[in-house]
Amino acid sequence: MRRIYLDNSATTKIDKKVLEAMEPYLKEEFGNASSLHWFGQEAHNALSKARGRVADFLGCNFLEVYFTGSATVSDNLAILGIIKATQKRGITKPHVITSTIEHPAVLEPIKYLEKTGEVEATYLAVDKEGVVKIEDVERAIKENTVLVSIMYANNEIGTIQPIAQIGDWLKARNQKSEKKILFHTDAVQAANYLDCNVDKLGVDLLTLSGHKIYGPKGIGILYKRKGVEIEPVVFGGHQERGVAPGTENVAGIAGFGEAIEEIKNQELRIKNGEKIKKLRDKLIDGILKNISGTDLNGSREKRLPNNVNTSFKGVEGESILMALDQKGVAVSTGSACASGSLDPSHVLMALGVGVERAHSSIRFTLGKYNTESEINYVLKILPGIIERLRKISPLK
Ligand code: PLP
């Protein structure tokens, strides 16, 4: 059967060049990067090369890049590590600002710290397009605010947040105050398409993931600006200067470096984004025009070039996903049904679309391997699928 992969925000197919870059470190150059012999030094060199490549991409210093086990680890480290360091300086109950549409890797550690009574938190609402307002960030600042964590682009609806503007505002505010507020962004979904230069964004901490950029799974990055104090949250080794201990995933890191190299060129990144955007727009317009009772979730303009999130009135998203899968098309839904919970997506709920529309949503996320013929195929089969499901739907 023809298989069409439209779930690139869940994970991406590894790039051939990435796989080649990883191979030596899974074979003959298998050393532990901490060992002093040749094998160890070969591995260590691979880490240095990859660290340099990531630093180039982010426009930062080599020593500001930390390798972690995933973006989930990086987000947790950024939040827990900054709060622990703050507490060490004697601030007992610091205040954190985030948004209601963050990934659970950001929301959950904040909620955990709130539950243990260690932080006060503000969850900023988004507008109906899914965008955080800078004025709301300004208004939420308190005497004890130490950290703002807002994602660069959302994983479900692809909304792009005004990170550089928030960064600018925080920088100006910090210049006038003794009490500095740090700024973290989860750039996991943005990295393929948007400029991640940390100075332009004005961020102190930034998270990336390997498997969303045609790299391997199980590898993440935390950028931490020089001078920003962070406490480790895992103990037991000196790796990554004690900030993220544990024997380094050398092959994964080498793969990450290669994946970053592929998206490093700004012009090329924009060009590839434009190509994918054309397919995205064809899919959005085709769905909205040819199928009645459909809506686009999130902003049309401030949207990643690869994200299509639409609701189909009167049909469960899971039914559409299963029907498309039977035809060889892989997509995802907003609700976390697969994990045994039938809760509607917190992101769609934050847009105010209501439970029913949230449950009837499907996310198509495109990538560099998708073709126009694949989009044409989806547009050909989708109206029939929706018509059939609407006839048998209990939601009618
Ligand atoms: N942050 C965002 C925005 C994501 O989309 C994801 C993965 O879906 C993560 C964090 C977690 O990434 P990882 O799979 O590397 O832990």
Side-chain angles (χ1 to χ4, degrees), residues 9-11 68-75 101-106 151-156 186-190 207-212 216-221 256 363:
S9 285
T11 197
T68 69
S70 66
T72 301
V73 173
S74 300
D75 282 342
I101 63 164
E102 296 299 308
H103 190 274
V106 164
M151 71 198 321
Y152 199 173
N154 184 267
N155 45 302
E156 289 190 36
D186 176 331
V188 165
Q189 297 290 345
T207 297
L208 294 175
S209 175
H211 70 110
K212 314 285 185 177
K217 295 173 181 60
I219 188 79
I221 294 290
F256 197 112
R363 179 187 76 177

Side-chain angles (χ1 to χ4, degrees), residues 121-374:
T122 299
Y123 302 88
L124 298 177
V126 289
D127 64 19
K128 64 182 192 324
E129 299 219 304
V131 183
V132 171
K133 287 199 211 77
I134 304 169
E135 310 87 81
D136 287 346
V137 179
E138 295 176 27
R139 236 175 280 140
I141 304 283
K142 295 185 182 189
E143 239 330 81
N144 56 339
T145 306
V146 295
L147 178 66
V148 174
S149 180
I150 309 275
M151 71 198 321
Y152 199 173
N154 184 267
N155 45 302
E156 289 190 36
I157 52 172
T159 323
I160 300 165
Q161 302 299 343
I163 297 302
Q165 288 92 319
I166 298 172
D168 268 353
W169 185 84
L170 280 171
K171 198 170 158 193
R173 182 252 165 230
N174 280 344
Q175 275 164 0
K176 287 183 262 159
S177 173
E178 296 258 290
K179 293 178 181 165
K180 304 287 177 234
I181 299 173
L182 297 173
F183 188 22
H184 167 246
T185 193
D186 176 331
V188 165
Q189 297 290 345
N192 278 322
Y193 307 106
L194 307 178
D195 190 348
C196 288
N197 182 292
V198 289
D199 288 335
K200 286 191 200 156
L201 293 177
V203 292
D204 303 292
L205 301 128
L206 179 145
T207 297
L208 294 175
S209 175
H211 70 110
K212 314 285 185 177
I213 57 168
Y214 309 95
K217 295 173 181 60
I219 188 79
I221 294 290
L222 181 65
Y223 155 78
K224 179 181 78 65
R225 192 174 285 282
K226 188 176 173 217
V228 169
E229 286 173 36
I230 197 164
E231 283 290 301
V233 293
V234 173
F235 301 89
H238 57 272
Q239 294 90 348
E240 296 303 293
R241 284 144 283 147
V243 170
T247 302
E248 300 90 343
N249 171 3
V250 180
I253 291 169
F256 197 112
E258 191 64 34
I260 280 282
E261 203 60 15
E262 288 294 301
I263 58 168
K264 199 171 81 181
N265 185 313
Q266 167 95 340
E267 268 174 45
L268 214 64
R269 200 167 58 237
I270 293 172
K271 212 170 122 200
N272 288 337
E274 287 298 322
K275 213 177 93 197
I276 293 172
K277 194 170 164 202
K278 269 197 194 135
L279 299 182
R280 175 201 78 177
D281 288 341
K282 181 166 196 174
L283 187 54
I284 293 177
D285 293 338
I287 290 172
L288 298 183
K289 212 171 105 212
N290 300 328
I291 308 174
S292 64
T294 49
D295 288 291
L296 180 69
N297 296 315
S299 169
R300 176 89 199 219
E301 302 305 322
K302 295 172 191 151
R303 186 178 203 97
L304 285 177
N306 75 325
N307 180 289
V308 177
N309 188 315
T310 42
S311 337
F312 299 82
K313 202 172 179 350
V315 203
E316 287 275 1
E318 279 75 25
S319 320
I320 308 171
L321 182 152
M322 298 313 289
L324 282 170
D325 191 43
Q326 280 171 5
K327 299 264 185 199
V329 181
V331 299
S332 83
T333 60
S335 52
C337 193
S339 63
S341 144
L342 273 175
D343 288 344
S345 142
H346 70 284
V347 175
L348 295 177
M349 291 307 284
L351 301 184
V353 300
V355 179
E356 209 176 289
R357 182 164 151 190
H359 272 309
S360 69
S361 300
I362 283 288
R363 179 187 76 177
F364 306 83
T365 43
L366 287 74
K368 66 177 179 180
Y369 301 118
N370 290 121
T371 62
E372 190 166 7
S373 131
E374 291 180 332

